[in-house]
Amino acid sequence: MTGAKRGRPAIKPGERGSVRATKRGATWQCRVRYRDQEGRPHEFNVKGRTKHSCESAAHEHWVDLKRAIARTDAQDSASSLASIAERWFAHLDREVENQCLSPNSVIQYRRCWNGTLRPMVAHWDVNETTRADVQELLYGNLFRRNQRGEYIFDEDGSRIPLKGPQPRQVLRLLLGFAADFGHRRDGMNPLAGTRKPTASPRNPRLLRALTPEEWQELLEMARTAALRPRAAPHLYVALAIMYYTGVRIGEALGLTVDKVDLRSDPPTIVFDEKLPESFRVGQRQLLEMTKSQDQRVVVVVPQLAEILANVLARLDYTRAGDPLIVTKRGTFVTHANVRTTLRALVAGTALEWMHPHALRRTYLTAAERVYGLAGAADLGGHLDERVTQRHYVIIEGVKVLDPRAMFVEVPADADAEARRPRLRAVD
């Protein structure tokens, strides 16, 4: 819902919203929203000991910000990186039209440029940019902007990578375009021949897989939270779908009611689209193809079938394209909503390390133990030519992935042959 629909006037390009200080503990804080000349939303925060000092500081910061923007616009000449970037993205759009480049790659490049690089290097002259300038930017400023994590969020809620190789990669491609297409006089790319920064060791806590006991504890926590007054059950349903099918969070949130068939034998779910992470409530953005660019039909295990039956029974009226996991207003649930709700659910518990992708890691770990590495690649939707037909259930010529053996409890007194799971066709 936009500001105009709520009765609040929309902010015009180049203007700011209202300046109102609110009490935050012992201090006052102003969060001021504004739009640049191109209409993109931004905001800044100012703190003060009193309400008057806080609002005065916000007004002064806005005046300084407008002067800085004016200086940047004045320096935006034909040889500036901002101008070169516009031509580069136009070139990339043509590459996408010719099917020479993935559209998702261009989306990531734009996010990194607009959210991370543009505010810092838009006024740089491409002919005066040296390797030392870029290294000072990356190692002296950019990679040290946030010491608490690997990313921050921009004004649209999208991730801005800070310590990874993406900002350097975007700069390298941009400067390479300038050199190859004659925008740089010496025809040289300052980052040609350089190596990307060494990746920091990953936190072993983030590589964990859930044990069956931990999963039951998490599921019970989500189910209990969904039963609270005025609570939405979308987290409970999303966690169940990701755990029992191994799909990514966007593939689970992008499910529509026509993709679930509980009346077939066996019941199945079709995964061929995903909800992009950039989606925000109120947008009319269409779903995108999945990462593997194919259609996967997954058999619904009995535990998940029971949950989905209850979800479909609660939906009053559904059409073919309506979302399966919905908010109270009947719209798609965003990635940020699920991540925020999950963090709040596990805060202060033994599962505080949990994140949505841990469910996919748990699923593929179990799949590797049951079906081997090739079978796990099949069930996870990973492209691998070595995968054989025996890892599928064939029904009417359609490849149907059947993970039910992973969730069947075998009696402890069964012999070794009976305990060994197999994939077999369904009659």
Side-chain angles (χ1 to χ4, degrees):
M1 183 180 292
T2 62
K5 292 182 179 180
R6 291 195 295 266
R8 187 174 63 194
I11 302 175
K12 299 179 180 179
E15 299 296 331
R16 61 165 175 79
S18 60
V19 178
R20 296 177 181 176
T22 56
K23 194 69 177 294
R24 300 289 184 181
T27 62
W28 291 80
Q29 180 177 347
C30 273
R31 185 175 67 171
V32 182
R33 295 182 176 90
Y34 68 94
R35 292 183 179 271
D36 57 24
Q37 297 296 336
E38 299 178 2
R40 290 190 296 266
H42 303 272
E43 67 178 40
F44 63 85
N45 294 276
V46 177
K47 294 182 179 180
R49 293 188 176 182
T50 65
K51 181 179 180 180
H52 177 72
S53 65
C54 183
E55 293 181 349
S56 298
H59 284 290
E60 294 176 0
H61 184 80
W62 170 244
V63 173
D64 295 339
L65 187 61
K66 291 196 69 174
R67 291 174 180 172
I69 294 175
R71 287 196 301 268
T72 301
D73 293 341
Q75 294 172 348
D76 189 7
S77 61
S79 61
S80 67
L81 288 185
S83 178
I84 301 300
E86 293 180 3
R87 305 173 197 176
W88 179 49
F89 284 121
H91 171 74
L92 295 181
D93 290 338
R94 290 192 295 270
E95 292 289 304
V96 171
E97 293 177 359
N98 296 331
Q99 298 183 353
C100 299
L101 187 65
S102 168
N104 290 330
S105 297
V106 181
I107 292 174
Q108 292 297 329
Y109 294 161
R110 287 186 187 275
R111 288 176 181 171
C112 184
W113 169 256
N114 292 326
T116 306
L117 295 173
R118 183 186 179 91
M120 309 181 80
V121 303
H123 61 282
W124 284 15
D125 190 303
V126 67
N127 292 303
E128 298 178 0
T129 300
T130 64
R131 181 177 299 185
D133 295 332
V134 177
Q135 290 177 338
E136 174 63 25
L137 169 72
L138 295 178
Y139 294 98
N141 297 320
L142 189 57
F143 291 169
R144 298 180 183 178
R145 283 173 60 188
N146 182 13
Q147 298 294 334
R148 294 176 296 177
E150 296 295 330
Y151 60 87
I152 61 175
F153 291 101
D154 64 9
E155 58 274 1
D156 295 325
S158 302
R159 292 186 178 187
I160 299 177
L162 295 175
K163 296 185 179 180
Q166 187 170 353
R168 174 192 171 277
Q169 174 73 354
V170 172
L171 264 181
R172 186 180 67 83
L173 294 174
L174 175 59
L175 293 174
F177 169 81
D180 295 340
F181 286 80
H183 301 300
R184 186 177 169 94
R185 287 191 295 267
D186 58 6
M188 301 295 294
N189 182 355
L191 287 181
T194 60
R195 296 181 180 180
K196 64 181 181 180
T198 304
S200 57
R202 300 185 66 179
N203 188 344
R205 293 180 60 190
L206 300 180
L207 301 178
R208 290 180 55 183
L210 287 167
T211 64
E213 294 77 17
E214 290 175 332
W215 162 244
Q216 291 300 327
E217 180 183 355
L218 177 65
L219 188 65
E220 181 62 24
M221 292 167 57
R223 188 188 68 82
T224 303
L227 296 177
R228 296 171 184 168
R230 302 176 62 182
H234 61 264
L235 179 63
Y236 173 68
V237 180
L239 293 178
I241 292 176
M242 288 187 285
Y243 180 80
Y244 288 116
T245 63
V247 296
R248 302 172 180 88
I249 180 174
E251 296 170 345
L253 299 180
L255 272 178
T256 53
V257 293
D258 57 303
K259 301 298 176 64
V260 179
D261 187 0
L262 298 181
R263 298 181 180 179
S264 63
D265 187 19
T268 58
I269 301 179
V270 177
F271 293 99
D272 57 359
E273 292 179 312
K274 67 175 182 178
L275 186 74
E277 191 166 357
S278 59
F279 173 80
R280 294 295 176 267
V281 176
Q283 294 179 355
R284 296 185 177 273
Q285 184 173 357
L286 299 178
L287 300 175
E288 299 178 354
M289 287 291 293
T290 59
K291 187 174 182 180
S292 55
Q293 300 289 316
D294 62 358
Q295 182 184 83
R296 285 184 291 154
V297 183
V298 181
V299 174
V300 181
V301 301
Q303 298 92 321
L304 180 59
E306 181 180 356
I307 296 174
L308 293 180
N310 294 332
V311 172
L312 293 174
R314 284 197 301 267
L315 297 177
D316 298 331
Y317 173 75
T318 56
R319 293 172 295 182
D322 288 347
L324 178 67
I325 305 175
V326 296
T327 62
K328 294 179 181 179
R329 291 184 290 177
T331 61
F332 282 101
V333 178
T334 64
H335 291 239
N337 189 322
V338 174
R339 297 182 194 277
T340 302
T341 310
L342 179 59
R343 283 196 297 268
L345 179 70
V346 300
T349 68
L351 296 174
E352 196 167 11
W353 58 272
M354 257 293 300
H355 53 92
H357 206 66
L359 298 172
R360 179 171 170 82
R361 183 175 295 111
T362 302
Y363 180 89
L364 294 181
T365 300
E368 194 275 334
R369 294 172 181 170
V370 176
Y371 303 122
L373 185 60
D378 266 348
L379 292 170
H382 296 152
L383 299 178
D384 192 336
E385 296 180 354
R386 297 172 299 178
V387 177
T388 59
Q389 195 72 11
R390 63 186 177 89
H391 296 295
Y392 289 105
V393 177
I394 307 300
I395 300 179
E396 297 180 356
V398 178
K399 295 180 180 179
V400 180
L401 305 171
D402 188 355
R404 288 177 293 181
M406 296 160 49
F407 303 100
V408 175
E409 296 184 1
V410 181
D413 56 352
D415 56 20
E417 185 64 22
R419 293 177 60 84
R420 184 175 181 179
R422 290 188 178 88
L423 280 174
R424 54 191 177 86
V426 179
D427 299 330

